Amino acid sequence: MKRRTAIRSLGLTVGGLVTFPAWASAWTPESIGVNSLTSPDDDTLLAEIAETFIPETNTPGAKSLKVNQFVARMINDCYSDQAKKTFQQGLLSIDQV
């Protein structure tokens, strides 16, 4: 790898790591908006799944932080229609178990 390319990549990485906390702290349940990807029942299921990974202890859990809204928003905004359909089918298959 050339030195200039390596330095530029390192600079971009460091810049991203410095700005990430400010960007991530701007996300709130109110700023995420209405979830159009999942139904209310699927949203409840997604909240339960997220709570499994981030349980409430002496710190807030996934349900309290509304991680399910964040997940649904990111999938809706960042993934293809096929990936969204796969996600919805996955929620449906989990709900049927």
Side-chain angles (χ1 to χ4, degrees):
M1 182 182 276
K2 298 189 181 203
R3 223 177 314 170
R4 288 183 185 176
T5 305
I7 291 172
R8 182 177 59 206
S9 296
L10 182 62
L12 289 171
T13 302
V14 169
L17 289 174
V18 168
T19 59
F20 181 72
W23 173 80
S25 66
W27 284 89
T28 64
E30 294 78 30
S31 71
I32 291 176
V34 178
N35 174 11
S36 62
L37 180 67
T38 58
S39 69
D41 290 338
D42 288 343
D43 197 46
T44 303
L45 177 61
L46 185 57
E48 290 294 331
I49 293 168
E51 186 74 18
T52 302
F53 291 104
I54 308 171
E56 188 159 349
T57 56
N58 59 345
T59 59
K63 283 184 192 176
S64 301
L65 297 173
K66 302 198 186 298
V67 171
N68 56 312
Q69 288 180 348
F70 177 79
V71 169
R73 177 66 184 261
M74 294 306 291
I75 290 172
N76 193 40
D77 290 355
C78 300
Y79 285 84
S80 68
D81 289 336
Q82 180 60 39
K84 292 177 199 176
K85 191 174 189 179
T86 302
F87 174 75
Q88 290 168 331
Q89 289 172 347
L91 285 177
L92 182 63
S93 67
I94 289 172
D95 194 31
Q96 292 174 349
V97 172

